[in-house]
Amino acid sequence: MASLAWLLIPLLAAVGAGLWGSWAARNRKSGRTGDATELNGYAAFREAMEKSRGATERPRESVRPDESAELHESGLHEIDEIQKRHVVMEESSTGT
């Protein structure tokens, strides 16, 4: 009798899962769900993000190619200087 009770548990779970699946897959007529509503919400989100980004960031087209190369070179020089200072600090701390 106890084994029948244990077999009843998965059977009830399967019936419950079937009922929930049919309820979740039902055709809703409220109009609150669907691709059109989600796409409209996403479009509004993108528009808001573009407005906020436009106020804080300059467009990439305004950077001159030669300016970009100059910035890259100056950045490399700064990295070299930092690495040299780091090596000097390590040598002075170890006493070599």
Side-chain angles (χ1 to χ4, degrees):
M1 190 68 172
S3 62
L4 289 176
W6 281 106
L7 290 174
L8 192 60
I9 293 171
L11 179 67
L12 291 175
V15 169
L19 290 173
W20 177 83
S22 63
W23 175 78
R26 73 190 187 281
N27 190 8
R28 298 179 187 181
K29 297 179 180 166
S30 67
R32 293 185 52 202
T33 60
D35 289 340
T37 305
E38 292 176 11
L39 291 174
N40 290 337
Y42 180 66
F45 169 76
R46 285 190 58 188
E47 184 180 321
M49 292 303 291
E50 287 295 325
K51 285 180 183 176
S52 68
R53 190 177 105 191
T56 60
E57 189 177 285
R58 70 179 184 171
R60 289 193 174 274
E61 297 86 36
S62 65
V63 176
R64 298 185 326 265
D66 57 337
E67 180 185 11
S68 176
E70 291 171 9
L71 291 173
H72 180 71
E73 287 297 321
S74 67
L76 291 178
H77 291 300
E78 289 178 20
I79 291 172
D80 288 340
E81 291 298 319
I82 291 170
Q83 287 175 343
K84 287 177 186 175
R85 279 185 267 159
H86 183 69
V87 168
V88 169
M89 288 175 60
E90 281 183 347
E91 289 175 353
S92 65
S93 67
T94 59
T96 57

